[in-house]
């Protein structure tokens, strides 16, 4: 298993460290040439979605990433990565997202929550996080916190509004691996 | 379960690999956001103009900061004076995303920094060596940046500060455990912080470069030296083509280790800020707050 991590901006190193601890090979993507290496899946990390979107376009990554996801490449987006897959960005996932949904940094929080398909409570860290306001056809809601959708799946695409890379729990990663390693 | 220091360190982690730009108006903030800035620093005057104007430099008008908060969706930071905890309270009251307790402004206290643990909003502080960095972290800073020499367009001091910090970190990792007590005494910080650096080979918080970054090459230099992101102040809006330069610096921070890309980005940017050489500087801001 070899996983590409989009490393344009944000907490990509944290994902890399988690995969390393779990014993999964990964590589960072900063250019089209990086991206074109063989891979089983893609992770889009947290960070600033406006920065990432601009760099995806300027580095000629936007169309290839979109096409690959639509063709079935497994993808896992966390926080800004969730935003990147919504209808206003890559547009591969049938979701409408509210950005900065909990307000500014004073609204950032950590909690524990249930996650469909995972048999234990998942630690969830929300940093200036979004949530999903509306899901369309084919989208399965996986976690709801305080009435808001914070994790969902649509076929090969998995998103969380929180940051599994900031905690020591591998539950959501294992869920992601199960999508394509079955 | 409310652990503000961790949440505040986490926000700095999300800013990594990004560029934080000084802006003085909502229009500049929008230009910075469109260029790919991961956050903006709202202030009335950029450091070069503070330097030129002289006099006492204070926290910006909250109304001006709020107008910038309303203009962009990325995090908004603002500066308060070293030791001026009431300015910090004001910035917290308007829900700033990060407070920079900054040597760019005139210090309000020549002995004490702000007790940053008393606040819910995060603080970033400048440092020119490991001791300063760890003392600020001990006071509650959840992000560190080099001091550099703001408003000069000269990167030499940011380089000096980052190299010194990295070298001191490498030195700590090479010590035996029983030598750490003496190291803690010399750095004037608690043993636990020294032990963390000894074991992990890095600061317990994110470390950005700041002060004098004016070109994509400067930004890439700081990243190759080990910075996790870059603050750019006067370098952008004191240059010939701020929009283009801002975009180029953002891309240089992402692909800092790819000279071909940095070469392309460095073409045709128009004039860089004129700047002031180190030996022409009358006021060393980096000497404020140790």
């Amino acid at each position: 298993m070899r996983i590409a991590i989009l490393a344009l901006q944000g907490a990509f190193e944290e994902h890399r460290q988690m995969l390393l601890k779990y014993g999964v090979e990964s590589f960072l993507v900063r250019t089209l040439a990086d991206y074109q290496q063989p891979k089983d899946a893609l992770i889009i990390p947290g960070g600033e979605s406006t920065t990432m979107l601009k760099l995806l376009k300027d580095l000629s990554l936007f169309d290839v990433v979109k096409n690959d996801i639509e063709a079935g490449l497994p993808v896992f987006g966390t926080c800004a990565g969730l935003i990147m897959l919504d209808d206003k960005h890559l547009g591969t996932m049938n979701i409408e997202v509210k950005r900065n949904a909990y307000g500014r940094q004073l609204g950032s929080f950590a909690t524990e929550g249930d996650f469909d398909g995972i048999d234990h409570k998942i630690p969830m860290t929300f940093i200036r996080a979004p949530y999903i306001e509306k899901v369309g056809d084919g989208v399965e809601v996986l976690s709801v916190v305080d009435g808001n959708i914070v994790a969902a799946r649509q076929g090969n695409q998995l998103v969380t509004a929180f940051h599994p890379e900031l905690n020591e729990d591998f539950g959501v990663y294992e869920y992601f691996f199960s999508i394509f390693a079955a | 379960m409310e652990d503000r220091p961790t949440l505040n360190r986490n926000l700095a982690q999300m800013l990594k690999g990004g560029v934080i730009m000084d802006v003085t108006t909502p229009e500049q903030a929008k230009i910075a956001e469109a260029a790919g800035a991961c956050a903006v620093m709202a202030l009335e005057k950029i450091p070069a103009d503070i330097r030129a104007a002289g006099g006492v430099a204070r926290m910006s008008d909250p109304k001006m900061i709020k107008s910038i908060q309303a203009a962009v969706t990325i995090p908004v930071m603002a500066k308060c004076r070293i030791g001026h905890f009431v300015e910090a309270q004001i910035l917290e009251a308007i829900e700033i995303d990060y407070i920079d307790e900054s040597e760019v402004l005139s210090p309000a206290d020549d002995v004490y920094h702000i007790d940053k643990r008393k606040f819910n909003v995060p603080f970033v502080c400048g440092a020119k060596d490991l001791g300063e960095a760890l003392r600020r972290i001990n006071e509650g800073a959840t992000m560190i940046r080099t001091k550099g020499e703001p408003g000069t367009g000269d990167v030499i001091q940011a380089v000096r500060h980052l190299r010194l910090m990295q070298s001191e970190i490498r030195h700590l990792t090479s010590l035996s455990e029983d030598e750490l007590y003496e190291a803690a005494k010399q750095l004037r910080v608690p043993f636990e912080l020294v032990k963390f650096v000894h074991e992990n080979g890095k600061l317990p918080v994110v470390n950005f470069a700041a002060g004098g970054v004016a070109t994509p090459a400067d930004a890439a230099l700081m990243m190759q030296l080990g910075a996790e992101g870059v603050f750019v102040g006067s370098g952008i809006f004191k240059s010939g083509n701020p929009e283009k330069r801002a975009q180029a610096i953002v891309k240089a921070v992402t692909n800092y280790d790819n000279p071909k890309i940095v070469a392309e980005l460095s073409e045709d940017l128009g004039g860089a800020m004129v700047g002031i050489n180190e030996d022409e500087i009358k006021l060393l801001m980096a000497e404020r707050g140790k």
Side-chain angles (χ1 to χ4, degrees):
Chain A
M1 200 194 298
R2 194 158 185 259
I3 297 183
I5 304 171
L6 196 65
L8 304 179
Q9 190 271 323
F12 48 85
E13 184 58 28
E14 284 74 1
H15 276 293
R16 202 180 71 84
Q17 290 299 329
M18 285 298 277
L19 294 179
L20 200 64
K21 277 186 207 161
Y22 199 75
V24 170
E25 197 187 334
S26 66
F27 63 96
L28 300 179
V29 173
R30 294 191 164 97
T31 62
L32 185 57
D34 293 339
Y35 179 75
Q36 282 162 341
Q37 299 173 66
K39 60 193 158 296
D40 299 295
L42 173 69
I43 290 178
I44 306 182
E48 279 307 315
S49 58
T50 51
T51 307
M52 265 186 240
L53 180 68
K54 166 139 185 67
L55 289 167
L56 260 188
K57 287 181 175 164
D58 289 354
L59 292 162
S60 311
L61 283 160
F62 186 90
D63 290 330
V64 283
V65 170
K66 181 176 162 71
N67 292 341
D68 282 356
I69 295 171
E70 281 169 351
L73 177 73
V75 62
F76 178 19
T78 58
C79 193
L82 173 155
I83 296 169
M84 294 306 295
L85 298 176
D86 80 2
D87 55 339
K88 293 192 198 73
H89 296 81
L90 284 164
T92 55
M93 218 171 153
N94 220 345
I95 51 174
E96 282 176 32
V97 175
K98 183 171 182 181
R99 290 183 57 203
N100 298 336
Y102 301 93
R104 301 184 179 280
Q105 173 62 5
L106 284 173
S108 293
F109 66 102
T111 184
E112 280 190 336
D114 292 317
F115 193 108
D116 260 18
I118 301 176
D119 59 7
H120 60 272
K121 291 260 186 197
I122 295 291
M124 299 176 173
T125 300
F126 295 85
I127 303 294
R128 283 177 46 98
Y131 58 65
I132 300 173
E133 278 187 306
K134 216 168 144 188
V135 298
D137 288 346
V139 179
E140 184 187 351
V141 172
L142 296 173
S143 182
V144 175
V145 170
D146 301 332
N148 301 311
I149 302 170
V150 298
R153 175 183 173 182
Q154 180 181 343
N156 56 316
Q157 305 179 65
L158 173 68
V159 289
T160 60
F162 56 92
H163 293 279
E165 75 277 16
L166 295 178
N167 299 102
E168 297 291 305
D169 191 288
F170 289 104
V172 184
Y173 287 91
E174 285 172 343
Y175 183 96
F176 179 52
F177 302 151
S178 76
I179 292 178
F180 58 96
Chain B
M1 176 101 216
E2 182 86 345
D3 177 3
R4 292 310 305 180
T6 300
L7 292 169
N8 290 339
R9 286 178 187 199
N10 290 158
L11 176 58
Q13 286 173 277
M14 296 306 141
L15 300 173
K16 284 193 300 180
V19 180
I20 301 168
M21 300 182 193
D22 280 359
V23 296
T24 58
T25 62
E27 292 69 36
Q28 286 185 355
K30 282 181 184 154
I31 291 174
E33 184 177 51
C38 67
V40 290
M41 177 76 69
L43 69 180
E44 266 163 24
K45 285 196 195 102
I46 54 176
D49 290 336
I50 292 175
R51 199 174 269 290
V56 177
R58 309 178 179 90
M59 178 191 77
S60 300
D61 183 340
K63 188 175 171 188
M64 170 266 167
I65 298 169
K66 288 201 287 202
S67 71
I68 287 174
Q69 286 175 316
V72 294
T73 60
I74 55 179
V76 177
M77 304 183 166
K79 292 181 193 289
C80 72
R81 284 179 267 178
I82 289 173
H84 206 314
F85 51 84
V86 174
E87 285 187 350
Q89 289 165 2
I90 290 169
L91 293 174
E92 180 168 68
I94 62 168
E95 296 202 21
I96 204 76
D97 290 301
Y98 241 98
I99 296 175
D100 184 1
E101 186 185 16
S102 176
E103 68 283 1
V104 169
L105 305 182
S106 305
D109 192 319
D110 58 359
V111 179
Y112 299 105
H113 278 73
I114 295 171
D115 178 0
K116 294 167 273 289
R117 294 174 189 268
K118 287 207 173 120
F119 289 79
N120 286 319
V121 287
F123 281 82
V124 54
C125 286
K128 54 187 189 332
D129 54 43
L130 182 61
E132 282 188 17
L134 293 179
R135 289 196 289 279
R136 298 297 86 78
I137 293 166
N138 190 43
E139 293 155 3
T142 49
M143 181 178 183
I144 292 292
R145 55 171 176 76
T146 60
K147 283 179 168 173
E149 196 49 42
T152 63
D154 188 358
V155 81
I156 182 170
Q157 314 207 39
V159 168
R160 185 183 293 148
H161 301 162
L162 190 56
R163 274 196 182 273
L164 180 56
M165 254 187 252
Q166 303 285 39
S167 149
E168 289 177 299
I169 289 172
R170 283 192 297 273
H171 172 67
L172 269 193
T173 60
S174 72
L175 295 182
S176 65
E177 284 224 4
D178 59 351
E179 290 170 333
L180 297 180
Y181 297 97
E182 176 60 20
K185 201 166 83 186
Q186 285 181 8
L187 291 166
R188 293 187 280 141
V189 293
F191 173 76
E192 285 65 33
L193 279 175
V194 171
K195 189 155 182 279
F196 180 94
V197 176
H198 170 72
E199 284 170 356
N200 296 278
K202 62 184 183 87
L203 295 179
V205 303
V206 167
N207 189 15
F208 268 46
V213 175
T215 66
D218 287 349
L221 173 68
M222 299 314 297
M223 293 297 288
Q224 287 197 30
L225 286 172
E228 296 180 282
V230 175
F231 284 86
V232 187
S234 317
I236 290 175
F237 288 102
K238 277 284 166 192
S239 74
N241 188 342
E243 207 163 341
K244 195 166 179 193
R245 184 168 295 265
Q247 292 186 32
I249 292 177
V250 167
K251 288 182 204 164
V253 166
T254 296
N255 278 294
Y256 64 89
D257 55 355
N258 189 323
K260 270 193 180 159
I261 292 181
V262 180
E264 277 169 33
L265 295 172
S266 303
E267 280 184 16
D268 210 17
L269 289 179
M273 76 176 282
V274 175
I276 322 168
N277 285 307
E278 184 184 26
D279 50 9
E280 301 164 353
I281 302 172
K282 296 204 179 75
L283 171 67
L284 272 176
M285 292 175 173
E287 292 307 313
R288 294 168 163 173
K290 298 176 187 174

